[in-house]
Amino acid sequence: MFGVYAPGEVVSKLTYYGLFALQHRGQESAGMAVSDGRRIMVFKDMGLVSQVFDEATLSSLTGHLAIGHTRYSTTGASVWQNAQPTFRQVAGHSLALAHNGNLTNTDELEALLAEGSTDDVPRKESMDSSNDTALIAALMAAHPESESIERIALDVLPRLVGAFSLAFMTETALYAARDAHGVRPLVLGRLENGWVVASETAALDIVGATFVREIEPGEFIVIDEA
């Protein structure tokens, strides 16, 4: 899992190299989402990073903000629908989300989503795939459009039980979060013109980012122009 916010950089290629360095973490599918500040474009497919992306594809994914993912099957079958990032509308924004790990309370979360009986999950939301990532995105999408992405994340993230780390994005901001026990790795790096989050420091090294620190267990960070 890889995320980058770097105005002035070719973030699709940075993400490609970051995913290439993380290829050992998953060989079934690869994908990335890129934003130019106005819209998010997502490209993903089954196969290795070098098979999914070519020069023409990377050139078409223009912007200053991106997340990427390589997958191996944990929850959900090895099919295109379960490739990441997941994409959907949340609170009036486009949101792309990548997830590393497993949730252990999916039955409880799915019941909450299906019932739509609480104030903060007011309506049933469908899921477009069978993995934990789609469940997290559906929980976020179930919130009112009047809420901010930050407020939604601060409501949903504490409900997730398991070992996981997340990188997600809207058109204008990059977000990262780690489970309360810090089981799954997530690190923060600094570029000359931006920031990187990644599952391992190897992804920082390959794009020339300086290691800053690990994201703390239970921490949620926001990276944007502010």
Side-chain angles (χ1 to χ4, degrees):
M1 194 175 65
F2 183 89
V4 55
Y5 185 102
E9 300 288 343
V10 184
V11 295
S12 61
K13 291 189 176 180
L14 292 178
T15 304
Y16 174 86
Y17 290 124
L19 294 180
F20 190 82
L22 299 172
Q23 183 72 87
H24 61 282
R25 299 187 69 89
Q27 297 83 40
E28 293 179 4
S29 65
M32 73 172 72
V34 181
S35 174
D36 61 3
R38 299 181 303 276
R39 64 172 182 166
I40 296 175
M41 296 183 65
V42 180
F43 189 91
K44 57 186 178 181
D45 209 342
M46 306 303 292
L48 302 175
V49 174
S50 60
Q51 297 169 326
V52 171
F53 299 103
D54 57 23
E55 189 65 33
T57 301
L58 293 174
S59 296
S60 70
L61 297 169
T62 58
H64 65 279
L65 166 61
I67 61 171
H69 188 269
T70 61
R71 183 174 189 262
Y72 69 95
S73 293
T74 51
T75 302
S78 179
V79 294
W80 184 89
Q81 288 83 353
N82 285 332
Q84 299 184 40
T86 289
F87 178 84
R88 69 182 305 154
Q89 296 297 310
V90 176
H93 294 276
S94 297
L95 183 135
L97 186 146
H99 163 249
N100 171 36
N102 288 287
L103 304 182
T104 58
N105 66 330
T106 53
D107 289 345
E108 173 189 334
L109 297 173
E110 288 172 356
L112 180 65
L113 192 63
E115 292 170 5
S117 59
T118 68
D119 291 338
D120 48 11
V121 185
R123 64 186 184 275
K124 182 177 179 179
E125 287 288 337
S126 62
M127 292 168 52
D128 58 2
S129 64
S130 59
N131 58 27
D132 292 347
T133 317
L135 177 57
I136 298 168
L139 287 165
M140 297 181 72
H143 285 69
E145 291 192 2
S146 59
E147 293 188 18
S148 68
I149 295 294
E150 290 83 358
R151 180 175 177 181
I152 292 171
L154 290 172
D155 177 74
V156 171
L157 293 174
R159 299 177 183 273
L160 309 180
V161 179
F164 62 87
S165 57
L166 303 173
F168 55 101
M169 60 183 279
T170 61
E171 298 92 338
T172 58
L174 172 65
Y175 305 88
R178 195 175 180 196
D179 71 79
H181 301 288
V183 177
R184 294 288 182 171
L186 191 61
V187 297
L188 177 68
R190 189 75 166 100
L191 292 167
E192 183 177 354
N193 298 316
W195 298 89
V196 174
V197 294
S199 297
E200 296 181 12
T201 56
L204 305 183
D205 297 338
I206 201 170
V207 300
T210 302
F211 172 76
V212 176
R213 62 179 178 86
E214 289 192 9
I215 305 298
E216 296 295 329
E219 186 177 9
F220 168 56
I221 67 170
V222 183
I223 301 170
D224 58 19
E225 64 180 359

